[in-house]
Amino acid sequence: QVQVVESGGGLVQPGGSLRLSCTVSGLPFSRTDMNWYRQAPEKERELVAGIDATISGGNPRYVDSVKGRFTISKDNDKKTVYLQMDNLNPEDTAVYYCNARHIRAFREAADYWGQGTQVTVSS
């Protein structure tokens, strides 16, 4: 069975920091791209950050609104991806979802999702 479990959300003041974690089981992590999405109330789910399955660097990428503030990284041995969020703004308030995209073959991928973790930035 495949499990995608994220944690680390909470309530933080503007300018504060949080680190989200997402641990994957039941998938070959070396062939799984990892992404963080978020969804605010009455907003569409958006891709926040992603890191590819390649061991060297993983081609980290970010939506413009979080560049310079968020850092995505991973631990291949622990099969865990992290999202370090610094200098948080109220606009970052959302449910954050971990997405695991298993690259099964060329032009064939399967997506698995965590249940989400709430991040609230408020004074």
Side-chain angles (χ1 to χ4, degrees):
Q1 63 179 31
V2 175
Q3 287 188 300
V4 180
V5 181
E6 64 266 84
S7 62
L11 175 64
V12 65
Q13 295 183 7
S17 298
L18 287 172
R19 189 181 76 158
L20 306 183
S21 299
C22 175
T23 299
V24 176
S25 62
L27 290 173
F29 197 67
S30 63
R31 297 190 62 181
T32 302
D33 297 337
M34 302 298 300
N35 304 286
W36 286 100
Y37 287 77
R38 68 185 180 188
Q39 187 166 22
E42 301 182 8
K43 300 290 183 64
E44 294 183 349
R45 185 174 298 187
E46 68 170 347
L47 176 63
V48 178
I51 188 165
D52 291 340
T54 178
I55 297 176
S56 58
N59 185 32
R61 52 199 181 277
Y62 308 90
V63 69
D64 286 343
S65 61
V66 309
K67 287 182 178 178
R69 300 187 298 118
F70 291 11
T71 304
I72 188 170
S73 62
K74 63 179 180 179
D75 186 323
N76 290 320
D77 291 334
K78 296 182 178 180
K79 302 181 70 173
T80 298
V81 65
Y82 305 95
L83 185 66
Q84 177 67 43
M85 305 184 294
D86 298 319
N87 194 24
L88 285 161
N89 303 317
E91 292 74 24
D92 298 316
T93 296
V95 177
Y96 284 70
Y97 297 92
C98 180
N99 163 256
R101 173 163 286 187
H102 177 207
I103 310 301
R104 295 176 56 87
F106 180 64
R107 296 182 178 179
E108 181 182 349
D111 284 317
Y112 301 89
W113 295 87
Q115 289 297 114
T117 183
Q118 176 70 49
V119 172
T120 302
V121 185
S122 176
S123 60

